[in-house]
Amino acid sequence: MAGVEFSLRKECSVFSGRVGFSFRQAYIFSYNLFQFCGHTWILSNTIARFFTFGQDALADTFYSVGFVMSLCQLLSILELFHIADGIEKARLLPRLIQVMEKNVLLIMIIMLEEIQSKPVVCLLLFLWNILDLVRYPHELLCLMDTPSIAMLWTRYTLWIPLYILSVATEVVTIYRALPYVEPTVSSSCLNSTVSTHIHLPFVLMAYLPVLALGASVTVWQLLKERQHHLEKWCKKMKRK
């Protein structure tokens, strides 16, 4: 009886592990597929509007794709929990920097309606979509155990200069937003007569070196990740 009970417990634990593994795999696959479809829609909409209306489409591109872009970027915060929980195998620090810098820039663009029609904002959204459309298909192929050397090279080689270009565009976007930012904001504590003034343009200017430092750390981490994955692929091909 003891042997039968032990066998049943072992089978139940194996079954539970398989169910949990399948659920985690289905969840992360659904997440990556949703992000891929969302960014594909944004890019397709942007290109279609440009070919239909020409340069006039740049003025209201954000109004047409801003909601979907905001939803995708908001959900990207979940990727930090994916990495921390072990569902996704990636470095946490570069992903944290990428997620935070995008969301901070997006919040600034949403709050400043005057810059939403600027061409640099359209270019920024375009680059963000290209970056995500390079990354998410690779993640989907890896989940299906059908990785491609072309997608691997694109994900870990072409992605790096595209990321640097997107960061440069983010810097230009912040610079173009400075004239539209309110000079000061008063903040006072309750039951206190002391009030402080936050100079918002100065805060944005101070954010630029932080952005540059974060991008430098991200690129350094991505280069190490690229070397690791390419060496792993080469070893796998030599074994075959």
Side-chain angles (χ1 to χ4, degrees), residues 4 11 14 36 45 48 50 56 58 101 107 124 147 155 177 191 193 200 214 232:
V4 173
E11 290 180 0
V14 171
F36 173 70
N45 187 290
F50 180 77
D56 295 335
L58 301 179
E101 71 183 30
I107 291 173
L124 181 62
R155 168 68 179 89
N191 302 325
T193 59
L200 291 183
K232 184 178 179 181

Side-chain angles (χ1 to χ4, degrees), residues 4 14 21-22 47 78 80-81 112 114 147 171 180 219 237:
V4 173
V14 171
F21 178 77
S22 299
I47 294 176
L78 293 174
L80 305 179
F81 298 97
L112 299 176
E114 295 85 356
V171 173
Y180 304 99
V219 171
M237 295 302 296

Side-chain angles (χ1 to χ4, degrees), residues 185-213:
V185 172
S186 298
S187 61
S188 59
C189 300
L190 295 177
N191 302 325
S192 177
T193 59
V194 179
S195 62
T196 58
H197 296 278
I198 302 175
H199 195 64
L200 291 183
F202 177 77
V203 173
L204 288 179
M205 291 297 293
Y207 175 71
L208 292 179
V210 176
L211 178 62
L213 178 61

Side-chain angles (χ1 to χ4, degrees), residues 98 159-160 163 218-226:
Q98 295 164 36
W159 203 89
I160 296 176
Y163 172 73
T218 301
V219 171
W220 175 62
Q221 294 282 351
L222 289 173
L223 288 172
K224 293 176 61 178
E225 194 172 357
R226 172 184 177 273

